[in-house]
Amino acid sequence: MIANTFAIFLLTALSSVNALGPAPVNLRTAANFAILAKSGVSTVPPSVIVGAVAVSPIAATGLTGFSLTVDSTKQFATSSQVTGHLLAASFAAPTPATLTVAIGDMGTAFTDATSRVNPNFTNLASGAIGGLVLAPGLYKWTSAVGIAADVTITGAATDTWIFQVAETFSVAAGKRVLLAGGASAANIVWVVSGAVSAGAGAHLEGVVLGKTSITLLTGASANSRLLAQTAVALQKATVNN
């Protein structure tokens, strides 16, 4: 039993040591949400969201298009479009305090991710990264970043990626961010100072920490968390955290 325990510990330690890329970004309690925003989350139905959706400091009026059913406790609401709870600052305690902490954690994560230094890649392809294969590492762009052709993120399940984008980040209609080699969306962070958009039918992988808005157009999907310091807008989109 002791030998087995030691073997498991050794394998875990070796896996951690061998992981490539920057130190992970700690989302803290913001990781409890598929979508978290300060000024609102809207949907043009039907969207499909797996995970909790929350807004703060705005009230539940900031959750639009969901046809909310407020729970008898007044602490959360439900919607046919969401597998999980919807929360807002106007709901009953302890929800407002919980969301205040989560919003703070979102801001802390954004600051952490955007302040990382010594990038492995700077202004790669002048921001036109469609068609590229992206290895683990810290990437920095002082411009906008656009995906006009499928892009592949490849690495092991323990590897990490941080993509720092100083301006806007967009995925063109029908284009996809693909994972290869066991890469995990949970270990990919897009930290974007401008607006984020995914065109109709586009697909995104990884956590999005947006300084402004995040928009998924008709049929777009994201295997990620969408964490916006302004608003998130969905149009018949799918989000799975």
Side-chain angles (χ1 to χ4, degrees), residues 103-155:
I103 290 292
D105 288 343
M106 175 176 69
T108 298
F110 181 92
T111 300
D112 174 21
T114 200
S115 64
R116 299 293 182 93
V117 297
N118 301 319
N120 304 103
F121 305 91
T122 301
N123 293 324
L124 179 67
S126 300
I129 62 173
L132 299 185
V133 176
L134 305 177
L138 175 62
Y139 294 70
K140 179 181 179 67
W141 288 274
T142 56
S143 63
V145 170
I147 297 176
D150 291 355
V151 63
T152 302
I153 296 175
T154 185

Side-chain angles (χ1 to χ4, degrees), residues 23-212:
V25 176
N26 187 353
L27 301 178
R28 297 176 174 81
T29 65
N32 295 332
F33 302 92
I35 302 176
L36 177 64
K38 288 185 175 181
S39 60
V41 178
S42 64
T43 174
V44 176
S47 291
V48 177
I49 304 166
V50 178
V53 177
V55 292
S56 179
I58 197 170
T61 52
L63 294 167
T64 59
F66 289 99
S67 300
L68 298 178
T69 299
V70 178
D71 184 72
S72 60
T73 64
K74 310 293 187 185
Q75 295 174 355
F76 63 89
T78 58
S79 167
S80 61
Q81 298 176 73
V82 180
T83 302
H85 292 166
L86 296 96
L87 304 101
S90 57
F91 288 164
T95 299
T98 298
L99 295 183
T100 296
V101 173
I103 290 292
D105 288 343
M106 175 176 69
T108 298
F110 181 92
T111 300
D112 174 21
T114 200
S115 64
R116 299 293 182 93
V117 297
N118 301 319
N120 304 103
F121 305 91
T122 301
N123 293 324
L124 179 67
S126 300
I129 62 173
L132 299 185
V133 176
L134 305 177
L138 175 62
Y139 294 70
K140 179 181 179 67
W141 288 274
T142 56
S143 63
V145 170
I147 297 176
D150 291 355
V151 63
T152 302
I153 296 175
T154 185
T158 53
D159 293 341
T160 55
W161 295 257
I162 297 176
F163 300 107
Q164 299 172 330
V165 183
E167 297 181 8
T168 61
F169 171 49
S170 61
V171 185
K175 306 310 176 184
R176 303 178 65 83
V177 175
L178 305 171
L179 303 184
S184 170
N187 293 333
I188 300 165
V189 174
W190 304 89
V191 56
V192 185
S193 295
V196 177
S197 62
H203 179 73
L204 180 62
E205 295 273 352
V207 176
V208 180
L209 288 166
K211 181 70 172 178
T212 63

Side-chain angles (χ1 to χ4, degrees), residues 212-239:
T212 63
S213 63
I214 302 173
T215 302
L216 272 59
L217 298 180
T218 303
S221 59
N223 183 28
S224 65
R225 294 180 176 88
L226 306 181
L227 309 177
Q229 295 188 40
T230 60
V232 174
L234 310 177
Q235 297 179 12
K236 300 180 181 178
T238 300
V239 179

